[in-house]
Amino acid sequence: MPSVHETGLTAAEAAARAEAGEANVVKASTSRSVKDIVRANVFTLFNGIILAAMALVLVTGSWRDAVFGFVIIINTGIGIVTELKAKRTLDSLSILVASRFLVRRDGTDTEVAHDQIVLGDLLWIRGGDQVPADAAIVRTWGLELDESMLTGESRTVRKGEGDPVYSGSTAVSGMALVRVTAVGEHSYAATLTAKAKVYKKTVSDLNKGINTILKFMTFLVVPLCALLIWSQMRTVGGWQTAIATGEWRQAVVSAVAGVVGMIPEGLVLLTSLNFAVAAMRLARQHTLVQELESVETLARVDCLNLDKTGTITDGGIAFDRLVMLGEHTDADREAATQACYDLAYEENPNGTGRAILEGLGERGYRPGGIEARVPFSSARKWSAIATGTATWYLGAPEVIVAALGADGAGTGAGFADLLGLVNEHADNGERVLLVARRDGPAPAGFADELVLDAAARPVALILCSERIRPDAARTLAWFREQGVRCRVISGDNPVTVGAIARKVRLTGDREPVAMDARDLPQDAHQLGRLLEDVDVLGRVLPEQKKLIVEALHDCGYTVAMTGDGVNDSLAIKEADLGIAMGNAAPATKAVAQVVLVDGRFSHLPDVVARGRQVMANMERVAGLFLVKTVYSALISLGVVLSGIPYPYLPRHITYVGALTIGVPAFVLALAPNTRRYIPGFLKRVVRFALPGGVATGLSVLLTAWILPGIMGWDILASDADLMALRSTSAVVLFLMGVFVLARVAQPLNSWRGVLVAAFAAAGVAGAFIPFVARFFALRIPTGRTAVATAIALGLAALIFFLCLFVAPHVTRFVERKLLRKPAPRSRR
């Protein structure tokens, strides 16, 4: 290390400051604690309703009729395990390198861990180090920092004595001795991200629709449950008789059968399962889903805001091409190209030098013979080599041109056209270096005087640019085809960002419209209207990124935001779906719903496609569960009004529901489906469920009302007759379930038809298996009961197809009435 006279803190001073809480300790946490995850999954409205119903049945001693309660354990367990797994994965990801840093204490240099750095420490920052705490430069030896993680600006910043440096930035070249001015939670990065640490639950249209159904059912269940218990007590002779004889137990079980049937518990379970399976499939593609509900949000995204550095580009520099100036031969080009390789071939080349070496190395160039070298310096901004026959210079065009002159006087005169060409390339987002040549042996003192020879002449330009991810253009094309509006939001110069957007064809054949964020309005509504015509925004501040997301929300968009820096965290938190790259800052990953662990932008189409599969398939199968809710409510109401015993047991609905709803729905929910999300999920599901639910409810009620009279059953006095009715009703219920499943699974001319047939056969076969038949109280109709059951099944089929025929006409009539009202104005 360079010799310095500063001694730094003493060991005692450092220990005292650490004891006083002035050490560089930051409490690292993900979006939610284990306690929060468990609480959010256990204390839900669905769990409360099912648990209360389960407790009522268990009080009666009929544990077989309480098997529906196990769905609580399964559903809650899936949610907790999946989110805890995501939390553990996230905790293992960290941008901060767990390396040790060099501090100066008691006049000597000592290595310490980052959390042992204290306020006031003298800290060495060397090339490649990530700054662990805020500091001010005491002495510098050409330190250049990459602050893109904080500002979004990808260009390196050269620091001088007294300049501040912030935690999270990275030393690209040079070194410096700095004095720590802020540590831990008081650092700039920690202050910026404090606002992003508040947990924000992902809004799920699917869960909102299910919760709407559950809330409606809650208001319906409580009074209906009381009425069901009252009516079932009357069927066994009244309260006194029921309590005296113990018949109250059967009355409670019957009432719970109606209540449980109204709750689409399988839909809640299947939603969690489907989200979990999607999350695990994405995990195999190195995509971490932190919140299960965010899988569904993927299907609704119609606006994607992209950070440039780390998303479209990988943060590195790539050699593009060498442009010869003036008249030249192939030999001149070959000599200039070889000289460029030799100029970059230093012991510790900077980012641009490494890009030149890599680019020309791929073309077969190798080190040539040189006599002397002047290494690149960020202070001089040029380097040079002497080959014996010529001296070559490489560096910043304005610096080299200023030292040259048309007359060799070093005035920089006569190069206006060259500087205009340089500016033209720079405006296209390219980094430009100038190659100059002086023929003949190297001048005296070449390696010592470090002076650029005014007699040299410009011969070529080296053009470099940010290295664009090879999959960026293909990924953006996919989003264009899917109707997702993409914008690039960056802290870089809008001209540079616009040039990169043009290269990756952000807007297809149309020229992208770029704008400087310093000209943006502060009002979200005005900004939203302006953004409709803007594709690229440069010089964007972190607060502006958040405002841009708010403005797009105001326009009615469902917004996804990608990013990797601390400067992106506020916007990622505000977006409907936050997507962090794998190398993102810890705070950014903590507030994002999705983390691309390997940082590959090309995973995003798979992520969105998986979300669309979940949403489209869940809409398909949600109708199955809502049918059960409709017919259970209708049957319960009919039972209360007519005062008859409930026509089936809770275990019947468990058996029928598993074979015609639960298990088939799980298979259908995992089928491929790339349909884009269309608003109106709950409306379409209800429209599908009403005809099937009404038909099933009427079929079971007519069976319960008519069949006892035909068969001469006394269902109030004879348990055998009541059990015969319930067995027949269960058969009718099973047939209607198969009809509804066939309707959902359409078209049936593929594996879907085989699926329906298989579960129908399984349901029939179960009645012939003694253990299954006893457990679920299943009976095969025989004799006159079989004839009556066949008649009931025929009547049920007629009612089902009649309801399907009438429903579209009723729907069109209602919609015509509604269309007479003026439609609300769209926000977009």
Side-chain angles (χ1 to χ4, degrees):
M1 304 301 295
S3 177
V4 294
H5 65 272
E6 291 87 352
T7 59
L9 299 176
T10 65
E13 289 173 333
R17 297 192 181 191
E19 186 71 22
E22 296 179 344
N24 191 41
V25 178
V26 179
K27 182 181 179 181
S29 62
T30 55
S31 54
R32 284 199 289 180
S33 65
V34 174
K35 180 181 176 181
D36 291 336
I37 291 173
V38 173
R39 183 171 56 239
N41 282 277
V42 171
F43 298 103
T44 65
L45 178 61
F46 160 73
N47 284 358
I49 296 173
I50 294 294
L51 186 61
M54 182 182 179
L56 280 175
V57 175
L58 289 175
V59 167
T60 68
S62 181
W63 64 271
R64 293 179 182 178
D65 286 307
V67 292
F68 62 84
F70 286 104
V71 74
I72 294 178
I73 300 173
I74 299 172
N75 188 50
T76 304
I78 288 171
I80 292 175
V81 169
T82 304
E83 292 198 43
L84 286 179
K85 182 179 179 181
K87 175 181 170 59
R88 286 196 301 271
T89 305
L90 181 66
D91 288 344
S92 67
L93 300 172
S94 177
I95 184 176
L96 292 177
V97 179
S99 57
R100 299 176 67 82
F101 294 86
L102 202 62
V103 297
R104 190 162 180 79
R105 293 177 182 170
D106 293 316
T108 60
D109 298 327
T110 306
E111 277 195 350
V112 298
H114 75 90
D115 57 355
Q116 294 176 338
I117 298 170
V118 299
L119 189 67
D121 253 333
L122 284 178
L123 173 69
W124 288 102
I125 301 297
R126 297 164 290 181
D129 284 349
Q130 185 175 41
V131 181
D134 292 359
I137 292 183
V138 177
R139 298 182 65 181
T140 179
W141 290 265
L143 178 68
E144 292 189 15
L145 292 178
D146 176 3
E147 297 181 339
S148 61
M149 195 62 72
L150 301 175
T151 65
E153 169 67 62
S154 63
R155 294 184 183 277
T156 57
V157 180
R158 188 162 185 264
K159 296 290 185 176
E161 293 184 4
D163 289 345
V165 295
Y166 299 111
S167 58
S169 54
T170 302
V172 177
S173 62
M175 65 182 303
L177 182 66
V178 303
R179 189 179 304 279
V180 176
T181 58
V183 292
E185 296 179 353
H186 301 288
S187 66
Y188 174 78
T191 303
L192 181 64
T193 58
K195 301 175 184 178
K197 288 186 178 180
V198 179
Y199 176 71
K200 179 171 76 80
K201 185 68 174 176
T202 301
V203 177
S204 164
D205 272 8
L206 187 56
N207 281 340
K208 279 173 62 179
I210 295 172
N211 286 333
T212 299
I213 296 171
L214 288 176
K215 289 175 182 178
F216 174 77
M217 296 314 301
T218 302
F219 290 108
L220 185 63
V221 160
V222 175
L224 197 53
C225 184
L227 289 173
L228 277 171
I229 293 176
W230 172 77
S231 69
Q232 296 307 293
M233 291 298 183
R234 290 188 60 191
T235 63
V236 295
W239 285 90
Q240 291 183 348
T241 303
I243 294 173
T245 61
E247 292 291 333
W248 65 271
R249 294 183 176 86
Q250 190 58 46
V252 169
V253 170
S254 298
V256 169
V259 172
V260 172
M262 286 184 284
I263 302 169
E265 77 278 1
L267 181 57
V268 180
L269 172 60
L270 183 59
T271 302
S272 297
L273 279 170
N274 213 2
F275 284 163
V277 170
M280 287 186 286
R281 285 179 173 175
L282 289 172
R284 288 197 291 268
Q285 299 175 0
H286 305 287
T287 301
L288 170 66
V289 177
Q290 296 201 79
E291 297 175 28
L292 295 181
E293 291 84 355
S294 61
V295 173
E296 179 238 301
T297 310
L298 298 167
R300 299 186 284 112
V301 167
D302 55 8
C303 177
L304 177 61
N305 291 343
L306 300 165
D307 183 39
K308 173 182 67 68
T309 306
T311 302
I312 296 178
T313 66
D314 61 11
I317 302 171
F319 171 81
D320 282 348
R321 61 191 186 280
L322 182 140
V323 178
M324 296 297 293
L325 302 173
E327 296 182 0
H328 63 278
T329 63
D330 291 342
D332 293 334
R333 172 179 287 277
E334 181 64 23
T337 305
Q338 180 62 53
C340 288
Y341 188 94
D342 292 333
L343 284 160
Y345 192 72
E346 298 182 355
E347 184 175 352
N348 293 301
N350 59 15
T352 305
R354 289 193 296 271
I356 294 172
L357 291 175
E358 182 179 345
L360 293 180
E362 292 175 353
R363 303 179 189 183
Y365 286 89
R366 296 293 181 267
I370 63 172
E371 294 182 350
R373 176 187 299 276
V374 176
F376 177 81
S377 163
S378 57
R380 292 190 308 274
K381 296 189 180 301
W382 57 269
S383 61
I385 58 171
T387 63
T389 58
T391 303
W392 297 85
Y393 299 91
L394 173 67
E398 64 275 11
V399 173
I400 294 179
V401 165
L404 305 182
D407 56 359
T411 61
F415 295 106
D417 291 343
L418 172 60
L419 292 177
L421 179 62
V422 169
N423 291 333
E424 181 180 330
H425 286 295
D427 288 343
N428 288 327
E430 295 171 306
R431 298 188 180 190
V432 187
L433 296 175
L434 178 61
V435 180
R437 171 177 176 166
R438 179 190 179 278
D439 292 328
F446 166 76
D448 300 321
E449 295 182 4
L450 305 181
V451 176
L452 202 152
D453 194 333
R457 289 291 176 268
V459 295
L461 295 178
I462 291 181
L463 303 181
C464 295
S465 62
E466 287 191 70
R467 190 163 54 231
I468 296 174
R469 293 183 182 273
D471 50 18
R474 183 175 66 255
T475 304
L476 290 171
W478 185 89
F479 279 113
R480 284 198 309 274
E481 293 169 359
Q482 298 299 315
V484 178
R485 175 72 181 275
C486 296
R487 292 180 179 83
V488 179
I489 300 176
S490 173
D492 267 349
N493 187 308
V495 175
T496 302
V497 185
I500 291 176
R502 191 180 306 112
K503 289 182 180 179
V504 297
R505 302 185 77 247
L506 176 71
T507 53
D509 296 330
R510 179 174 62 84
E511 183 76 9
V513 178
M515 184 175 180
D516 194 314
R518 291 174 293 187
D519 300 327
L520 293 178
Q522 296 301 310
D523 178 71
H525 184 65
Q526 294 180 8
L527 178 58
R529 288 184 296 177
L530 178 65
L531 289 176
E532 292 289 350
D533 301 318
V534 176
D535 306 299
V536 174
L537 288 165
R539 304 293 188 197
V540 184
L541 300 175
E543 293 78 9
Q544 285 182 306
K545 290 188 177 184
K546 178 183 177 182
L547 181 62
I548 289 168
V549 174
E550 292 175 347
L552 292 170
H553 280 159
D554 189 64
C555 293
Y557 286 104
T558 300
V559 184
M561 177 79 196
T562 72
D564 61 349
V566 174
N567 62 304
D568 301 314
S569 60
L570 295 178
I572 283 178
K573 179 192 172 187
E574 184 66 27
D576 298 283
L577 184 71
I579 303 172
M581 310 307 283
N583 66 335
T588 306
K589 288 184 288 192
V591 299
Q593 288 86 17
V594 175
V595 179
L596 303 180
V597 178
D598 60 1
R600 291 180 59 184
F601 179 44
S602 58
H603 287 322
L604 282 183
D606 292 332
V607 171
V608 174
R610 189 66 63 191
R612 288 181 174 178
Q613 174 187 334
V614 170
M615 197 61 183
N617 284 340
M618 285 308 301
E619 181 176 321
R620 174 190 288 270
V621 302
L624 275 175
F625 295 95
L626 201 55
V627 164
K628 183 165 73 78
T629 299
V630 172
Y631 72 65
S632 295
L634 184 60
I635 292 171
S636 297
L637 186 60
V639 166
V640 169
L641 294 177
S642 60
I644 62 173
Y646 208 85
Y648 50 79
L649 296 171
R651 68 188 83 170
H652 288 151
I653 196 67
T654 300
Y655 181 79
V656 173
L659 292 174
T660 63
I661 299 175
V663 182
F666 181 75
V667 176
L668 290 172
L670 298 180
N673 198 326
T674 58
R675 194 197 74 187
R676 290 176 57 189
Y677 172 74
I678 304 171
F681 162 78
L682 187 58
K683 177 182 176 182
R684 289 192 299 274
V685 170
V686 170
R687 182 184 296 175
F688 172 88
L690 281 177
V694 170
T696 304
L698 286 177
S699 299
V700 174
L701 283 174
L702 288 174
T703 300
W705 288 336
I706 298 173
L707 198 59
I710 296 176
M711 300 298 297
W713 291 337
D714 187 353
I715 59 176
L716 297 179
S718 171
D719 289 342
D721 289 348
L722 178 58
M723 198 60 212
L725 173 63
R726 284 175 168 167
S727 297
T728 302
S729 298
V731 173
V732 172
L733 191 65
F734 179 74
L735 175 69
M736 300 302 283
V738 172
F739 283 166
V740 174
L741 175 60
R743 187 178 172 212
V744 167
Q746 290 179 340
L748 300 177
N749 58 351
S750 62
W751 63 269
R752 300 176 190 274
V754 176
L755 175 78
V756 175
F759 281 104
V764 175
F768 291 93
I769 301 174
F771 169 76
V772 176
R774 284 195 305 271
F775 189 90
F776 290 103
L778 305 175
R779 291 186 181 180
I780 304 298
T782 58
R784 293 179 61 240
T785 305
V787 175
T789 301
I791 295 173
L793 293 177
L795 179 62
L798 179 63
I799 293 173
F800 182 79
F801 290 108
L802 183 62
C803 285
L804 291 186
F805 174 77
V806 172
H809 297 285
V810 174
T811 301
R812 283 195 292 268
F813 175 77
V814 173
E815 288 179 346
R816 280 199 300 269
K817 291 292 184 182
L818 292 176
L819 286 175
R820 292 179 182 178
K821 299 179 181 180
R825 294 181 62 185
S826 173
R827 290 188 299 169
R828 195 172 296 178

